[in-house]
Amino acid sequence: MAKKVGLNGWLQRVRETGEHSDVVVRVTGEEFRLHMLPLRNESGYFRDLPSSSNGIEQVDEKTGCKLVNIHHLPGGVEGFAIAVNMCYLIKPSFTVKNVALVCAAAEFLAMEDVTESARKFMHSNIFSHWRYCVNYLQNYTRIGSPVDEYVEFRCQKVLATACVKCFTEIKHVSAPSAYISGPLTAVPPKQSSSACQTLTELLVQVCSLPDIYAAEIINTLVDSDVNLNLKCRQGRNVRRWLESVIDDECQSDKARCYVLLCLSRMLLKNAPTKRPWMELSSQYWCSLLEHADQLLPLLGDPLKERLIGVKAMLEEKIGESLNEMDEYLRDYKFGPDTLMSLVEYYISMGEYTEQSLEEIAGDVDRFLWFYANECSISVDAFISLVKAFPPSARDCHDTIYGAIEKLISTAPNCSAEEQQQLWSLIDHFKLSPSVNERALNNPVFLSQPEILESVLLHHSQELAKVDDTDGRHLRHIMQKVINASLKLLEENSRRSREILELQRQYGELLGCRSQMLNPEGIVDLLGKQHHSNLSQNSSLQRESETEESEISDSPSLATVSSTGATSNRSSSHMAMLPRRNVEPPYPYQTIS
């Protein structure tokens, strides 16, 4: 005797076999042999089918069944098949991948029970935890249905709520750090707190989502009540935490950019309306600017444009509050252009003191040495950073001298004109004795003649105080005098060549002008002026030759005179040197 089959079993069987079918439904080219009664029982679409624009248009020739064509069904064949199965009381086979397809098809077909079942599955398996939402959005493909908005809105809300909760509950931020206990005992890396780990993971995951989702979640977080400026007060490891998040955890430049945009906008939104801007949160401000400066060259539009705008606002706030930083400015890795912006903002405020200006100028000078060592700054930017401060802001030029010396050695394409511009920044009287000595012995150091003359005068006075019997000390001072004299001769010779070149160019210009302008009297006037200049030059040359012969007669300056003619001022200072008849105790050698 055959076993009786219940209604559920019978419906499932006829669904699988298609027997007793009275309607054929075509979805994107695939046919389903179905039954109108269970379809109308569950679907408003099929109940209203006769009056719809897609009504029963024809009859299938093979089966004689009515034919229904559904064009562009959201959810496609997969969503339709699972939704239809539920009309036959078949248990739905929902998965995270197909539940949105089923929900979209059910909404289109007006299957309320199926739609409700799909949404319950989403709430239990997707919207119940932020990690599920992240995984879902990372792989989600839009269907072209209202389900898209429903799914995305729910996931974004869960993620934004989780972010606000993490920032609200966390007490401090810290980066994982490895340490060793004892010389032989290795200890596993020490991890940061669980709350910090959760915040780090959540922030990185959110910023790694597709742009459309990440931007919306960040906007919600920025509009929340989280004051990131206050979160710095309970922990002082902000910079290390940011380095860990941006450099180690983020796997793409896009994710790094969104982290910077998110945290920067949160800082700027809750920044005080009056200075001080960053009295207790400078690590957040400066670290974010530091990373933005390094990341910008790696980005493309439109993220680059957004980060440029945020970076400009950070520069303004930090620049106006340089004196409020709780760490030295040089501890951060800012590029030359960024550093220049900070200095300009600070000086433009006009509220600085001499002490604060001196401290910041010292930090900038250390930046200059770093840039020169890395060959990461142009000569124009170098000069601009030095001249951004008034001369009174620097009592010592030792660091600037070292930076220029390093820049010239690391930049082989630095022209003679650029070197002269760099050396002109140095104030000789603000160099320490040791650095001054090094500068005068540096063959590429271009000293001003008046500085060299003052050096000669100083050594002359020093020489006058030396005892005649102190041959070693006398010899040392004489070597300094000779070095300074040679330097002065070299500088005067260089300038003489420049003057002659300018005179030659001036003469050529006068010749050209005399041919172009021919009114009566103008040519004669220019010719007389040119003749007068040549006469003066000849007179100066004769005087120089006379002085050279006088200097060469002096046995104490034979070494100096052998190099060429000197200037009037240098010869006058050399005449001030006392004449001594002291024989050195050993042969003369150059002392560097």
Side-chain angles (χ1 to χ4, degrees):
M1 182 178 177
K3 183 179 180 181
K4 292 183 179 180
V5 180
L7 178 60
N8 291 357
W10 183 83
L11 287 174
Q12 295 172 12
R13 181 171 62 82
V14 298
R15 168 67 182 93
E16 294 175 1
T17 62
E19 57 184 311
H20 310 299
S21 174
D22 58 353
V23 62
V24 175
V25 181
R26 288 179 181 173
V27 179
T28 62
E30 186 167 343
E31 294 185 353
F32 294 85
R33 296 178 60 190
L34 303 173
H35 307 81
M36 190 62 72
L37 181 61
L39 292 179
R40 288 181 173 175
N41 183 57
E42 289 291 336
S43 170
Y45 176 86
F46 285 98
R47 283 196 297 269
D48 299 335
L49 193 58
S51 61
S52 67
S53 59
N54 288 334
I56 302 174
E57 300 174 352
Q58 56 185 345
V59 176
D60 189 89
E61 297 178 355
K62 297 180 181 180
T63 62
C65 299
K66 297 175 182 179
L67 182 63
V68 177
N69 290 301
I70 304 180
H71 304 287
H72 309 295
L73 174 66
V77 174
E78 183 178 2
F80 178 78
I82 297 175
V84 165
N85 286 342
M86 295 186 67
C87 297
Y88 290 84
L89 304 180
I90 299 175
K91 186 177 180 180
S93 54
F94 290 137
T95 64
V96 173
K97 293 183 178 180
N98 66 23
V99 65
L101 300 175
V102 178
C103 189
E107 283 192 353
F108 180 85
L109 299 173
M111 296 180 176
E112 296 180 359
D113 292 342
V114 180
T115 302
E116 186 65 22
S117 299
R119 291 186 175 183
K120 287 182 178 179
F121 182 88
M122 291 180 184
H123 279 274
S124 300
N125 297 273
I126 299 176
F127 308 145
S128 59
H129 197 277
W130 64 263
R131 286 190 178 91
Y132 300 155
C133 294
V134 167
N135 294 332
Y136 192 75
L137 290 180
Q138 284 177 342
N139 302 287
Y140 185 71
T141 302
R142 287 195 161 191
I143 304 170
S145 162
V147 173
D148 294 333
E149 182 178 355
Y150 174 80
V151 171
E152 292 169 351
F153 174 78
R154 290 287 181 178
C155 288
Q156 292 170 3
K157 184 177 180 180
V158 170
L159 290 171
T161 302
C163 288
V164 172
K165 182 180 179 182
C166 281
F167 274 107
T168 303
E169 294 181 351
I170 194 170
K171 295 182 178 180
H172 66 277
V173 291
S174 60
S177 59
Y179 65 93
I180 297 179
S181 177
L184 299 177
T185 305
V187 178
K190 181 181 179 181
Q191 301 295 327
S192 57
S193 64
S194 58
C196 184
Q197 284 181 317
T198 303
L199 173 62
T200 300
E201 181 185 0
L202 176 57
L203 186 62
V204 171
Q205 292 289 347
V206 166
C207 293
S208 301
L209 291 172
D211 295 354
I212 188 173
Y213 306 135
E216 190 65 30
I217 297 171
I218 289 174
N219 290 337
T220 304
L221 181 57
V222 171
D223 294 337
S224 67
D225 296 331
V226 177
N227 190 342
L228 199 58
N229 294 273
L230 301 179
K231 285 296 173 182
C232 304
R233 301 185 178 185
Q234 299 179 3
R236 310 309 298 166
N237 299 316
V238 173
R239 190 183 182 195
R240 293 184 60 231
W241 174 70
L242 283 173
E243 289 177 354
S244 174
V245 172
I246 297 175
D247 296 336
D248 300 333
E249 299 297 331
C250 291
Q251 301 300 315
S252 66
D253 292 336
K254 187 204 74 171
R256 296 183 181 95
C257 179
Y258 274 120
V259 169
L260 292 174
L261 289 173
C262 176
L263 298 178
S264 300
R265 290 176 59 193
M266 292 175 70
L267 278 173
L268 291 166
K269 176 185 178 251
N270 294 287
T273 56
K274 297 182 179 180
R275 298 176 66 224
W277 314 120
M278 58 177 83
E279 184 177 8
L280 297 174
S281 56
S282 63
Q283 286 197 39
Y284 262 128
W285 290 87
C286 295
S287 297
L288 290 171
L289 179 60
E290 178 184 38
H291 286 286
D293 196 16
Q294 298 171 5
L295 184 61
L296 265 177
L298 307 177
L299 295 176
D301 297 333
L303 285 179
K304 186 173 184 178
E305 296 179 358
R306 295 177 60 185
L307 190 57
I308 287 176
V310 170
K311 178 176 176 285
M313 290 187 285
L314 291 175
E315 288 174 345
E316 180 178 1
K317 295 293 185 182
I318 297 172
E320 294 175 354
S321 306
L322 284 181
N323 58 322
E324 300 169 17
M325 295 180 57
D326 58 352
E327 292 185 7
Y328 291 111
L329 180 65
R330 62 178 179 270
D331 289 343
Y332 295 93
K333 300 176 183 177
F334 299 130
D337 294 338
T338 300
L339 184 62
M340 188 67 198
S341 298
L342 298 180
V343 173
E344 289 176 346
Y345 278 122
Y346 182 70
I347 294 179
S348 65
M349 288 288 293
E351 300 180 5
Y352 52 81
T353 62
E354 293 183 1
Q355 181 180 359
S356 65
L357 201 63
E358 183 178 352
E359 292 176 354
I360 296 173
D363 288 335
V364 170
D365 292 348
R366 294 179 180 90
F367 266 103
L368 291 175
W369 192 95
F370 173 78
Y371 296 149
N373 187 50
E374 298 292 329
C375 199
S376 59
I377 188 173
S378 65
V379 174
D380 292 338
F382 190 101
I383 295 174
S384 298
L385 277 171
V386 175
K387 291 185 175 181
F389 296 90
S392 59
R394 294 181 175 93
D395 293 333
C396 180
H397 278 200
D398 288 0
T399 307
I400 298 180
Y401 172 83
I404 295 175
E405 194 176 43
K406 178 65 68 174
L407 180 61
I408 293 176
S409 64
T410 56
N413 297 327
C414 188
S415 64
E417 182 180 358
E418 290 176 333
Q419 292 185 26
Q420 185 175 2
Q421 292 176 350
L422 290 171
W423 290 127
S424 64
L425 300 173
I426 300 297
D427 187 345
H428 167 78
F429 299 101
K430 292 185 178 182
L431 294 177
S432 63
S434 60
V435 176
N436 185 31
E437 182 96 11
R438 192 176 81 189
L440 293 176
N441 291 327
N442 185 354
V444 300
F445 177 59
L446 303 179
S447 301
Q448 301 297 323
E450 58 270 17
I451 294 176
L452 289 169
E453 291 173 3
S454 67
V455 172
L456 284 172
L457 178 61
H458 171 73
H459 290 327
S460 300
Q461 296 171 352
E462 187 180 13
L463 188 62
K465 299 177 182 179
V466 178
D467 187 13
D468 294 344
T469 60
D470 192 357
R472 182 180 297 272
H473 197 189
L474 177 64
R475 176 174 172 271
H476 183 64
I477 296 177
M478 283 299 298
Q479 183 62 50
K480 292 181 179 179
V481 171
I482 292 172
N483 290 339
S485 301
L486 291 173
K487 199 84 173 181
L488 179 58
L489 289 172
E490 180 183 358
E491 182 65 18
N492 285 333
S493 177
R494 181 185 65 80
R495 294 199 170 194
S496 298
R497 289 193 298 270
E498 292 179 354
I499 292 174
L500 290 175
E501 177 64 21
L502 289 175
Q503 289 178 344
R504 184 189 65 79
Q505 295 177 3
Y506 181 57
E508 293 178 354
L509 178 62
L510 290 177
C512 295
R513 292 292 297 273
S514 64
Q515 295 178 4
M516 295 173 59
L517 303 175
N518 204 16
E520 184 178 359
I522 295 181
V523 176
D524 294 338
L525 178 62
L526 293 176
K528 292 179 181 179
Q529 184 177 359
H530 181 55
H531 178 73
S532 176
N533 291 335
L534 293 178
S535 301
Q536 292 178 4
N537 291 336
S538 300
S539 176
L540 289 174
Q541 185 175 2
R542 287 193 299 270
E543 292 179 4
S544 176
E545 292 174 353
T546 303
E547 292 172 357
E548 178 183 359
S549 62
E550 293 177 356
I551 293 175
S552 62
D553 294 337
S554 176
S556 61
L557 298 177
T559 306
V560 177
S561 62
S562 62
T563 60
T566 185
S567 66
N568 292 332
R569 297 178 65 184
S570 63
S571 60
S572 64
H573 282 297
M574 295 303 295
M576 296 177 62
L577 296 177
R579 299 177 178 269
R580 295 177 180 270
N581 298 321
V582 179
E583 295 292 336
Y586 43 82
Y588 172 80
Q589 295 178 353
T590 302
I591 298 178
S592 59

